[in-house]
Amino acid sequence: MTARRLSYGGRIDRYRTITVEFDGRSFAAHPGDSLASALLAGGQTIFARSFKYHRPRGLMAAGVEEPNALVHLRDGARHEPNAQATMVEVFDGLKATPQNAWPSLRFDIGAVNGMLSRFFGAGFYYKTFIGPFKGTGFWMFCEKFIRSAAGMGQATTLGDPDHYEKINAFCDVLVVGAGPAGIAAALAAGRKGENVILVEQDHSVGGALLSAVPGGVSDVWLKKAESELRDISNVRILTRTTAFGAYDTEVFGLVERSQDHVKAPEVGKPRQRYWLVRSKRAILATGAIERPLVFAGNDVPGVMLASAVRKYLNRYAVLPGDRVLVATNNDSAYVAAIDLAKAGAKVMLCDLRQKGPKSLFARARAAGIDLKLGHGIVKAEGGKNVRGARLIAVDAKGKASGKEISVSCDLIATSGGWAPALHLWSQRFGKPEYHSNLDAFLPPAERGAFTCVGSLVGATSAAESAMQGHTAGGSVGKLDPLPEEDDFWGRGLLPTTVITRANGTTPGKAFVDFQHDVKLADIDQAHMEGYVSVEHLKRYTTLGMAADQGKTSNLNALTRMASLRGVDVPNVGATTFRPPYTPVTIGAIVGNDHGLHFQPTRLSTIHDWHMENGAETIEAGAWLRPWYYPAKGETLRDSYIREAAHVREHVGIVDVSTLGKIAVQGPDAAEFLNRVYTNGFKTLPVGRLRYGVMLREDGFVLDDGATARLGENDYFMSTTTANAAKVLAGAELLLQAAWRDLKVHVTTVTDQWAAIAIAGPKSRAVLADLTGADLSKEALPNNHFTNVVVDAVPCRLHRMSYSGELAYEIYIPAKSGLKVWEALIKAGVPYKLKPYGTEAMGALRIEKGHVAGSEIEGRTTMKDLGLEGFASSKKAFIGSVLRRRPLLEDPDRPSLVGLEIVGDVGAKAGSLLFAMNVPKKGHGEGWVSSATYSPALKKNIALALLSRGPQRFGETIEVVDFVGNQTLQARVVLHHFFDPEGHRQNG
Amino acid sequence: MLRIHCPVCGWRDETEFTYGADATVRRPDVNNVDPKVWLDYVFMRDNPRGPHKEYWHHVTGCRQWVVVERDTLTHEISGSYLAREVVG
Ligand SMILES: [Zn+2]
C-alpha cells in the first residue's frame, strides 16, 4: 500500500497545513481531513492491533462503521480511548496514540495469541469453565493474562476537565442524516413552514455527495440546497451531531460534539451537548453501510471498502494505492474503480457476477480497467500490507471452482452490497424485513410517525434518494435534479459475500467481525456445536457485540449461518439494535447532574444557624440535617452522648422541619383519617393531637406520626421525614381513585412550616418565658396543642414527646423559623438550653423504645413492633384484613425487644441474634435494628427484633456481626428502657 | 422515554410521572372482611400483552392520578383521563 496525497482535488483546505501526531510521528494535515485521511496520506498503514489476536490492522472504512482504526486521543485528563480515526476531525496539535499494542504497532508481542487461536475460538469464555480445564481455577490463572492481552483502549482515571450541557428541544420534523435524501426532506418540510431539525454526524452536510468527484453537478446541487436551508428560519441544522437513540413517542437522544474538533473547548463552551428532542414525526435518511466481502486475509492492511477508497480519493485527495484490485458483487464499486483509474491507478476489477450492465462494463473498460467477470478473491496475500491476491472462478450461485490465479496489487477495495443503517428504526420498532434483491434488511418506508428514505430503504442513487426525501418532506417547492449516473448502491447484486475454496474452506483466517476478531471458522464452529439462532450465535462468538455493534459484520454472519443451515436469511433471524448507535461519552449523559447538582439539597430555614454554630450535617433523603454540634475536640460519640444527657438533665432543641406535613381538609377529613390510621380518629376533638400508625394495603406498617385537629374540617398530619412523599401520593390515589365520595383535600405543607422540638425538664419553663402562655399540666396536657405568639410570629405549640422527656413541638411559618429558633436560644440561656442533632435524637428515642425507620422498614407488622394496641378492632382501616394473615400472626416472628449489651463495646445495627451455645450459622433468630450508647442507663443498648422476643426477657443471647467479625453478649429486656411508665413526658 | 398526556397539563415527559399500578383493579369496599377479596386486590394482577390501563401519577406536575391506556407491546398510548373521572 503506497498511499499518497494528490496535488489536486479533495474537499480539504490546502492553503493551511497543520500538524497531527500519531504513535510519536508527525503528519502534515489540512483542515477538512479526518485523522484517518491525514495518517493515510502520510503513509501510515497499520492503525491498530486487533482485539484478540493482535493482528496488524489498517483502515477498512472512512466513516462511522470503521471497526479497526480505534486510537487513544489526546492525553492527560482529556485522554479518550476507542476514538475512531475515521471520525476524528483534525486540528493543529492533535495527538493520538495506538491502543492494544505492546511494545509497538509494528511489533506486537501479543500477536502470539494468533498462534493460540485454537483456544480463543467461539465460546472460549464458556469452555474455560467446563473441561478440559474443569473449574474456575484455570480461569483465574488465565484471566489476568487474557484481560491484559484482549481489550480495547484504556480510560483515564483523571477527572474530566470539561463540562457538558443538556438541551431539551421540540420540533415538528426531525430529519436524521443530511445526505441527498435528508437535505431534500428538510427543504420540503422547511418550505412548508414546519419546525425542522436536521441532524448530521459529519461536520459538513452532503453525505454520500461528499464522496463524489469535486466540482461536479452534485456539488452545485449541494451548495444551492444548503444555502436555501440555512436561510429558512424554521430549519435548524445540527452538524457534528449523532442521533444515537430513538425512543417511544418520537423522543430522540442526540449528542452534539460541539468542541471535539478543537484542541480544548473554548472557555465557557461545553465540550458536548446532549439533546433530548421531542418531535411530531421523524424522517430517517441514515443511509447504508457497505458490506465487506469475506475471504482469507481480508483483514490485511490495505483491504478496504470500495466506498471508503472512493471517499479517501475524492473527499480527501488521498490515493490509497497505485495497483488496485477492486472486488464486488454489485454495480456500486465500478464508480470507485473508474475514479481510481482516472486518478492514475492501475485497476483490476473482479466481479463475482458473470453478467452485468454492458454500459457500465464499457465505461470501466474505457477507463482502462482490467475487468475480470465471474471471479472472486479467495485470499489476500501479505502480512503488514497487501502484496497481492489469489482469485478464483465463481459460478452464478457463488460457488468457486477451478484454479486459483495470483495477481499483484497494493490495495484491495471490496463491495459486498449495502446494509441499510436502520439502527434507529430498529431501536424503535424491532425486526425489519429481509429483501432478497438487495440481500439486506430494510425498514418499511412508513411506520407510525416514521418515514424512511434514501439508501436506508434501498434507493440505489442520489437522485432517487433526493426524490424520496422531497416527497417525505411534503413535496413543497421544486426539487433540483441530481445526475442519475453516479451511484449504483447495491444495483444488480449477486448475494454472495463469502468466498471459499470449492471445498468450503478458506486458505487462512477470514474475518467477519473485525472489531471482536470473530472469524468465519468461529461461525462454522458455532453451527457445528448446534447454535441455530442468531441471538445465541452473537453471545457465543461475541460477534456484533463490540463497540461498533456489528455495523459491518451482522449481515455477513447471518448469511453464513443461513447457508450453513440451508435456510433463507430471514429464518436465521435479524439482530435488533439498542441505543446508542455510536458510543456516547458518559460526560454527555451526565451533563451537569453530578456532585451537588445531582439532586436539589433540601435545607430547613434554620440551616444557616446550624452551620454558623459548628454543626456537622448528615443527609436524610434530599435533606441535609444537623447531625451533632461538636464542642472543641469532640468526636461524634462524645457529642451525642453529651447532647442526649443534657436534654434529660436540662433542656435541648432540635430542628425537625424535615418532618412531612400534610394538610387534610374537608367535611370528610375525619372519616378519611379514620380509614388510613389503624387507631380511631373520629373522636379526636379540636385542639388535640393523636399519635397514629398507618399500614400498607398488605398489612405491614407504613409510617407513624401525629395528627392535630386544627378545626372542624381541618387537620394537620405529620409523617416521618422519609415517608412524606409516599404517604401523600398514597392518600391522593385513595381520594382520586377509590374514595371519590369523600370530600377531602390533601396538600403538602412540609415546606410551609418550620418545626422545632423542645425537650427536657426545663422545656416548659423556657416556653412559658418565651410565649407568656399558661403551659401548666392542666392548661396544656400531653397530646394537646395551643396557639402562641413568639416575637410577633404566630406559632402552634404541640405538646408531645419523642424523647420521653417533657417535650413540645413548635410549628412556625417557614420564613420565621430562624427567628423563633434564635428566640428560643435566647430565652433558654437561664435554663442552659442547648441545640442537639439527629444522633442525640436517635439515642433518646432508642432509650425510650420508640420505633423509627430502622424498625418500620417494610417487613414488620404492628404486632412485631409492639404497636398492636394502636389497632382498632371496631373499624376497618387500610391493611386491617391482610395484617391478620396467618403467617403474619405466627408467634415465632421476630418482635421488638430491647437489648442491654454486656461489656463496653456497643452492638452494630444489622448484627444477627443467636441463642447461647448454638452454632453461629444461618440467619439466626433475629437482628439488631438500632443501637446506641445510653447516657441515661450508662450502658450500650439496642433495639432488636427477636423471635418470640417478649417471652425471652432476662435471657442472655449472642449478638453476632459477621461483617465486622464481632460477637457480643446481651440481655433481652423490654424495649422501653427509660421511664417506661411515662412519668416524665406526662409530668 | 414516553410522552404522556396529562388531562390537566397536556403532553409531558414520563420523568414527571411515577408509575402507579394496574388501573383496572378496583379497591374493595372499606368494610369488606373477606381475606380472599383483599389478597386478589393487593397481589393478583394480569400481565396483558397488548392494551392495558395503568395509573400514572403526575407527581411533579398537577399531582393528579391519570389512567393511561398503553399498549404493553408497542408502548403506544391510546388515551388518558383522570382517575377521578373513571366511571364505575
Ligand atoms: Zn398534570
Side-chain angles (χ1 to χ4, degrees), chain B residues 34-53:
Chain B
D34 182 355
K36 167 96 182 41
V37 170
W38 288 99
L39 284 168
D40 279 352
Y41 163 63
V42 173
F43 297 106
M44 301 310 287
R45 293 289 181 274
D46 290 333
N47 187 14
R49 182 181 190 268
H52 188 43
K53 288 178 188 173

Side-chain angles (χ1 to χ4, degrees), chain B residues 6-10 12 16-17 58 61-64 66 82:
Chain B
C6 169
V8 179
C9 310
R12 313 295 305 171
E16 293 184 6
F17 297 79
H58 198 190
C62 61
R63 295 203 65 92
Q64 293 298 299
V66 181
L82 293 178

Side-chain angles (χ1 to χ4, degrees), chain A residues 632-812:
Chain A
K632 201 172 156 61
E634 271 187 348
T635 62
L636 164 64
R637 185 182 158 86
D638 299 339
S639 295
Y640 88 76
I641 290 172
R642 172 180 53 72
E643 288 170 11
H646 191 89
V647 169
R648 298 245 184 261
E649 194 182 344
H650 305 283
V651 58
I653 55 173
V654 59
D655 184 351
V656 292
S657 301
T658 60
L659 285 174
K661 307 168 203 93
I662 301 171
V664 182
Q665 293 161 316
D668 294 318
E671 173 63 24
F672 172 73
L673 292 169
N674 212 45
R675 293 183 189 181
V676 297
Y677 279 123
T678 63
N679 42 336
F681 268 76
K682 272 193 164 167
T683 55
L684 182 69
V686 175
R688 295 276 293 271
L689 51 107
R690 183 168 289 166
Y691 171 80
V693 178
M694 287 180 203
L695 305 189
R696 301 191 311 222
E697 294 279 14
D698 64 359
F700 288 90
V701 180
L702 167 65
D703 199 45
D704 67 346
T707 289
R709 187 169 192 178
L710 308 183
E712 186 58 29
N713 297 326
D714 189 4
Y715 291 80
F716 181 90
M717 174 191 280
S718 70
T719 72
T720 61
T721 302
N723 287 325
K726 208 188 287 177
V727 170
L728 181 67
E732 287 165 336
L733 178 61
L734 287 166
L735 289 169
Q736 293 171 28
W739 301 335
R740 285 181 274 162
D741 53 325
L742 294 189
K743 292 187 169 64
V744 181
H745 271 299
V746 287
T747 313
T748 175
V749 290
T750 299
D751 291 336
Q752 279 66 32
W753 295 93
I756 303 165
I758 306 103
K762 302 285 164 48
S763 56
R764 178 181 285 137
V766 174
L767 286 164
D769 281 9
L770 183 68
T771 63
D774 177 7
L775 301 179
S776 65
K777 188 176 168 183
E778 294 70 31
L780 188 66
N782 204 12
N783 290 326
H784 285 61
F785 72 84
T786 184
N787 293 313
V788 296
V789 176
V790 178
D791 266 4
V793 178
C795 306
R796 207 171 55 242
L797 187 66
H798 295 198
R799 183 169 168 201
M800 61 169 303
S801 180
Y802 189 52
S803 56
E805 289 302 319
L806 173 65
Y808 301 84
E809 281 175 3
I810 186 162
Y811 287 85
I812 312 139

